[in-house]
């Protein structure tokens, strides 16, 4: 069993999570500092505070705050000081954001920038550092300031670039905060859209700039074609973002109510909040506090009208369904000491190949994106099987001691590439008693298409039958794998069905033959009688090979989940004897656990059913409880147990607490 990261901010902020909203006043939007209304601001903050929010993220709109390269606007600074005072009056905090040149579908420059490069023009970098230092010096001692952000989505405003230059810029900007006396946590505000979470190499990578900041902050507004993937997407991004070894704060998330019904808006918030909590997030800042119908003729809302309605309150200050969900979530977390909380340990690891983030020669973005997508689908299937998976990143070049031990089950989903040292390490883990599952994928490009796998015969007990330069295309619309023998909880004769999908390169199988039947058995065959799932014993351990890229198939389809990969993972878990912190025998109800130093266990329940359902939750200590899980389309009446329930252990009597 291995820990899963759930890092909290140091000091007081680590004991209480940030739960708040990004803030522009409804009468001004990004131009609020040129038409500031302190009474309206206080009305808006009062509504947020009454619904359990304790903080905001705020913005120094750059053209207003720095009208000249060596001057701050004193009026804007005076209004911001009043804004801080208003927060303090309500017992709230805020995170100021410095470089705000992008906002809601438009970029704005200070008039004096004149096209200078944000990251590499020495004079321009110096002006930014001066600006940040001076604003920090003015406001760092105010009790309402709880953190700092260097930018708002700077890759959209400053553009992408050379990673070395960008990291140098980050270093200088963070040092500017410290030079101004800022001791509060600081981060970049880039959206966490680097190669580590997207597969696209933009030059922004938290693996590189992570040591310079105190937390990382995903901004998640992804479109999808599958409801369960959409409900778990932000959680998966949190899992990937944790590679930076910093607390993960959901810095921006939300939706325009123009894009979803009130009920669907509430569902999205409820699912995202609880799923990201289970994924190790320790702060949540919604986008955003209000709607902007009062200024719909003002840019950017005039040309991006859907941006008018991202608010958790409407333009009159009335709560919308997302604010109600934030209020309930805040109540649920009120009694939890985040300074001592951790996720339940796990026996299952999803391996993310180092080809995602390492700068290997001749590696294409398409290969990186496939790794993200296949890993995400594996995460969905593992969640459906309640495996509470950890995400393990392969060390670059096989270094750093190699893949870690301590897991009972390793999942390598739809993989084309893994380094040679890591294949050797997998053999060591198997011989030590682990179960290693790998599914083949040829990759979506024609560049050296085929398995970059070492010792297929030694590790899996099979020989590949490929023809050089060609793949073995999957012509069937549906691939059916029929079990020849019992496997885990799947009986002989059971059928696993997978709808085939993908491009002409990757929609392919790995033709094999068994080399040594004495240690390798065919678990399942495809519709043409060919080996499709084989197990090779290595003493106490085993390897399991799937010759079809089942995770990739699902990743390239919409409205597909739950699909049969979860059944395969469920059987692997039984066969490997892995421990699940909590388990429900229903892929549409996903459970996981948080545990605290005082012995409390909080069970997070995410239901994808449209209506509430009764479920039985089994725990890793042999205990069980009945719970009524909320439907994805609605929450059961409280005090029935909903998205998250708790059991208290130790000296306190066992009880089920509805939260």
């Amino acid at each position: 069993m291995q820990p899963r990261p759930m890092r909290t901010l140091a000091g007081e902020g680590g004991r209480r999570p940030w739960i708040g909203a990004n803030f522009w006043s409804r009468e001004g939007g990004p131009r609020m500092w040129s038409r500031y209304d302190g009474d309206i601001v206080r009305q808006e903050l009062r509504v947020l505070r009454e619904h359990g929010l304790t903080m905001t993220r705020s913005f120094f709109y750059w053209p207003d705050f720095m009208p000249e390269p060596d001057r701050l606007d004193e009026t804007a600074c005076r209004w911001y000081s009043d804004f801080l005072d208003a927060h303090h009056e309500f017992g709230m905090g805020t995170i100021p954001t410095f470089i705000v040149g992008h906002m809601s579908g438009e970029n704005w420059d200070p008039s004096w920038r004149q096209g200078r490069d944000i990251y590499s023009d020495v004079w321009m970098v110096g002006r930014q550092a001066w600006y940040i230092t001076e604003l920090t010096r003015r406001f760092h001692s105010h009790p309402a300031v709880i953190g700092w952000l260097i930018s708002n989505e700077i890759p959209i405003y400053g553009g992408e670039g050379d990673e070395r230059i960008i990291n140098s810029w980050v270093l200088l900007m963070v040092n500017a905060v410290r030079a101004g006396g800022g001791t509060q946590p600081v981060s970049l505000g880039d959206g966490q859209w680097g190669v580590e979470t997207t597969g696209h190499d933009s030059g922004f990578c938290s693996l590189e700039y992570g040591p310079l900041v105190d937390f990382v902050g995903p901004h998640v507004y992804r479109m999808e074609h599958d409801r369960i993937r959409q409900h778990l997407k932000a959680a998966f991004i949190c899992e990937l973002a944790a590679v930076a070894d910093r607390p993960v704060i959901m810095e921006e998330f939300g939706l325009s109510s123009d894009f979803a019904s009130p009920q669907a808006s509430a569902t999205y918030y409820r699912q995202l909040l609880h799923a990201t909590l289970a994924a190790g997030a320790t702060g949540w800042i919604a986008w955003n506090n209000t709607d902007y119908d009062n200024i719909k003729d003002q840019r950017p809302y005039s040309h991006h009208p859907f941006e008018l309605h991202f608010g958790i309150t409407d333009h009159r200050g009335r709560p919308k369904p997302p604010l109600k969900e934030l209020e309930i979530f805040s109540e649920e977390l009120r009694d939890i000491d985040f300074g001592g909380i951790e996720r339940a340990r796990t026996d299952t690891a999803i391996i993310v190949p180092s080809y995602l983030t390492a700068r290997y020669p001749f590696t294409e973005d398409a290969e990186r994106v496939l790794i993200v997508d296949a890993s995400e689908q594996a995460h969905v299937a593992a969640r459906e099987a309640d495996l509470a998976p950890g995400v393990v990143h392969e060390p670059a070049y096989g270094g750093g001691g190699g893949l870690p031990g301590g897991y009972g089950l390793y999942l390598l989903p739809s993989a084309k590439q893994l380094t040679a040292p890591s294949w050797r390490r997998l053999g060591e883990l198997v011989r030590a008693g682990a179960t290693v599952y790998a599914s083949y994928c040829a990759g979506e490009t024609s560049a050296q298409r085929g398995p970059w796998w070492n010792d297929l015969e030694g590790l899996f007990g099979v020989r590949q039958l490929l023809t050089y330069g060609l793949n073995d295309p999957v012509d069937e619309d549906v691939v059916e794998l029929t079990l020849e023998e019992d496997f885990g909880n799947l009986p002989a004769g059971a059928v696993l069905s997978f709808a085939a999908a993908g491009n002409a390169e990757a929609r392919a199988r790995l033709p094999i033959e068994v080399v040594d039947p004495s240690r390798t058995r065919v678990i399942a065959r495809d519709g043409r009688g060919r080996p499709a799932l084989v197990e090779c014993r290595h003493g106490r351990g085993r390897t399991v090979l799937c010759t079809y890229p089942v995770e990739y198939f699902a990743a390239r389809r919409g409205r597909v989940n739950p699909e049969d990969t979860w059944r395969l993972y469920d059987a692997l878990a039984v066969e490997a004897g892995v421990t699940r912190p909590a388990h429900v025998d229903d892929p549409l109800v996903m459970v996981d656990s948080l545990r605290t130093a005082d012995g409390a266990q909080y069970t997070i329940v995410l239901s994808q059913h449209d209506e509430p359902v009764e479920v039985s939750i089994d725990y890793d200590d042999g205990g069980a409880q009945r719970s009524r899980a909320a439907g994805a389309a609605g929450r059961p009446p409280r005090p029935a147990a909903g998205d998250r329930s708790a059991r208290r252990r130790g000296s306190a009597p066992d009880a089920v607490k509805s939260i």
Side-chain angles (χ1 to χ4, degrees):
M1 300 283 284
Q2 291 294 303
R4 293 177 290 163
M6 191 171 193
R7 301 175 182 89
T8 55
L9 293 166
E12 182 65 25
R15 299 211 310 272
R16 301 299 312 142
W18 286 345
I19 302 179
N22 289 268
F23 192 100
W24 290 117
S25 178
R26 64 178 179 261
E27 297 298 334
R31 302 311 311 276
M32 66 178 283
W33 308 113
S34 61
R35 60 187 74 157
Y36 184 76
D37 188 326
D39 292 336
I40 290 292
V41 165
R42 284 166 172 80
Q43 291 175 26
E44 293 170 323
L45 290 177
R46 179 179 292 108
V47 172
L48 300 182
R49 191 69 185 94
E50 288 173 349
H51 288 81
L53 275 59
T54 59
M55 54 82 66
T56 69
R57 175 183 172 215
S58 51
F59 302 90
F60 296 123
Y61 179 66
W62 202 8
D64 281 353
F65 274 85
M66 195 179 181
E68 298 175 18
D70 56 358
R71 181 174 69 87
L72 298 180
D73 186 274
E74 294 300 330
T75 300
C77 289
R78 185 168 65 253
W79 293 143
Y80 192 78
S81 181
D82 181 75
F83 180 76
L84 292 179
D85 290 344
H87 278 73
H88 190 53
E89 291 165 18
F90 289 103
M92 299 179 72
T94 192
I95 307 173
T97 306
F98 296 106
I99 309 295
V100 183
H102 170 79
M103 186 56 58
S104 301
E106 187 161 354
N107 289 343
W108 287 278
D109 277 334
S111 60
W112 47 268
R113 180 187 172 189
Q114 298 179 347
R116 294 183 177 92
D117 188 80
I118 290 290
Y119 317 119
S120 62
D121 184 292
V122 174
W123 182 83
M124 190 69 194
V125 171
R127 291 298 82 209
Q128 294 170 79
W130 175 86
Y131 166 70
I132 290 173
T133 298
E134 289 303 309
L135 285 172
T136 304
R137 183 173 289 123
R138 289 180 182 233
F139 299 119
H140 74 89
S141 61
H142 198 289
V145 175
I146 59 174
W148 308 95
L149 284 167
I150 300 302
S151 78
N152 180 60
E153 299 177 353
I154 193 71
I156 298 177
Y157 176 62
E160 300 178 355
D162 184 295
E163 182 179 84
R164 297 166 298 179
I165 294 173
I166 288 172
N167 290 339
S168 297
W169 174 81
V170 174
L171 173 64
L172 293 170
M173 298 304 106
V174 171
N175 284 345
V177 172
R178 301 308 182 208
T183 59
Q184 300 90 340
V186 63
S187 192
L188 182 54
D190 63 321
Q192 198 70 29
W193 298 332
V195 67
E196 71 276 30
T197 62
T198 68
H200 172 60
D201 190 0
S202 64
F204 288 85
C205 181
S206 63
L207 271 172
E208 299 299 325
Y209 70 69
L212 306 176
V213 300
D214 298 305
F215 62 93
V216 295
H219 296 193
V220 180
Y221 303 100
R222 303 276 186 90
M223 302 289 104
E224 249 297 344
H225 300 283
D226 181 88
R227 184 167 76 165
I228 295 180
R229 269 203 304 265
Q230 179 70 317
H231 285 170
L232 295 180
K233 185 169 292 291
F236 179 63
I237 290 171
C238 287
E239 298 278 12
L240 292 180
V243 72
D245 199 31
R246 290 290 183 270
V248 177
I249 305 297
M250 284 298 302
E251 198 172 273
E252 278 195 31
F253 65 94
L255 51 79
S256 171
S257 52
D258 294 342
F259 289 176
S261 69
Q263 186 180 51
S265 299
T267 293
Y268 180 75
Y269 264 75
R270 183 167 64 252
Q271 292 276 336
L272 182 147
L273 290 168
H274 291 88
T276 53
L277 173 65
T282 53
W284 297 266
I285 314 173
W287 185 270
N288 63 309
N289 65 304
T290 188
D291 287 347
Y292 297 109
D293 300 70
N294 299 338
I295 51 173
K296 60 187 175 184
D297 294 331
Q298 175 182 304
R299 294 162 60 184
Y301 311 113
S302 60
H303 58 73
H304 273 59
F306 69 90
E307 295 277 3
L308 289 165
H309 298 133
F310 272 87
I312 56 178
T313 66
D314 68 14
H315 69 286
R316 296 177 182 173
R318 297 173 300 191
K320 293 167 66 176
L323 181 54
K324 297 292 188 180
E325 293 298 326
L326 284 163
E327 180 180 21
I328 293 170
F329 188 64
S330 178
E331 290 175 4
E332 291 172 351
L333 301 187
R334 183 171 298 158
D335 298 327
I336 300 177
D337 179 1
F338 264 63
I341 202 167
E342 62 180 23
R343 296 198 280 172
R345 291 181 173 241
T346 183
D347 241 356
T348 303
I350 296 173
I351 299 172
V352 176
S354 58
Y355 295 83
L356 175 61
T357 56
R359 299 307 197 273
Y360 296 133
F362 307 107
T363 300
E364 302 179 28
D365 266 5
E367 296 172 283
R368 300 184 178 104
V369 171
L370 189 151
I371 290 170
V372 172
D373 294 346
S375 299
E376 179 182 17
Q377 184 58 35
H379 176 259
V380 169
R383 281 284 175 197
E384 290 166 344
D386 295 329
L387 299 183
V391 172
V392 169
H393 291 260
E394 177 196 19
Y397 300 94
L403 294 166
Y407 298 92
L409 175 61
Y410 293 81
L411 303 173
L412 181 60
S414 298
K416 171 183 176 178
Q417 300 151 312
L418 206 67
T419 66
S422 291
W423 286 113
R424 183 173 63 249
R425 174 61 175 156
L426 287 178
E428 295 170 355
L429 295 170
V430 168
R431 289 188 291 275
T435 294
V436 171
Y437 159 87
S439 57
Y440 167 75
C441 185
E444 286 193 316
T445 75
S446 61
Q448 299 303 321
R449 183 184 59 214
W452 297 24
W453 295 26
N454 288 148
D455 198 16
L456 195 66
E457 185 171 331
L459 197 54
F460 296 100
V462 299
R463 181 181 298 119
Q464 55 89 358
L465 302 175
L466 289 163
T467 299
Y468 178 70
L470 301 177
N471 60 8
D472 263 44
V474 175
D475 299 319
E476 300 90 343
D477 291 330
V478 177
V479 173
E480 292 188 340
L481 309 184
T482 303
L483 269 70
E484 299 223 310
E485 304 180 25
D486 294 348
F487 183 71
N489 54 1
L490 293 174
V495 176
L496 298 173
S497 181
F498 305 96
N503 72 5
E505 310 293 343
R507 183 170 166 160
R509 58 180 284 275
L510 178 66
I512 61 168
E513 63 180 4
V514 173
V515 176
D516 184 1
S518 66
R519 65 187 187 100
T520 302
R521 63 170 178 148
V522 177
I523 301 169
R525 296 183 183 273
D526 64 16
R528 301 183 190 181
R530 301 170 298 196
L533 201 63
V534 298
E535 178 194 65
C536 183
R537 301 294 304 205
H538 296 262
R540 294 184 297 112
R542 66 176 63 79
T543 57
V544 177
L545 168 66
C546 183
T547 63
Y548 286 85
V550 293
E551 298 87 359
Y552 168 75
F553 285 166
R556 290 294 174 262
R557 291 181 60 86
R559 301 184 183 276
V560 66
N561 289 298
E563 47 83 49
D564 274 357
T565 302
W566 84 266
R567 295 178 61 204
L568 174 56
Y569 287 6
D570 193 42
L572 283 164
V574 172
E575 192 76 13
V578 303
T579 299
R580 307 181 223 206
H583 181 45
V584 171
D585 193 19
D586 180 347
L588 290 173
V589 179
M590 307 168 195
V591 291
D592 203 342
S593 292
L594 304 179
R595 300 175 185 186
T596 62
D598 66 356
Q601 174 171 311
Y602 297 88
T603 303
I604 301 169
V605 183
L606 288 172
S607 175
Q608 308 304 318
H609 289 281
D610 288 330
E611 301 296 333
V613 294
E614 292 285 342
V615 295
S616 178
I617 304 174
D618 297 317
Y619 292 92
D620 59 5
D621 63 356
Q625 77 177 53
R626 294 291 297 174
S627 178
R628 192 164 188 245
R635 183 188 295 277
R638 301 177 80 193
D643 294 297
R644 190 161 152 267
S645 59
R647 296 193 311 153
R648 183 162 290 278
R649 294 175 166 178
S651 58
D654 285 348
V656 177
K657 178 183 176 186
S658 172
I659 55 179

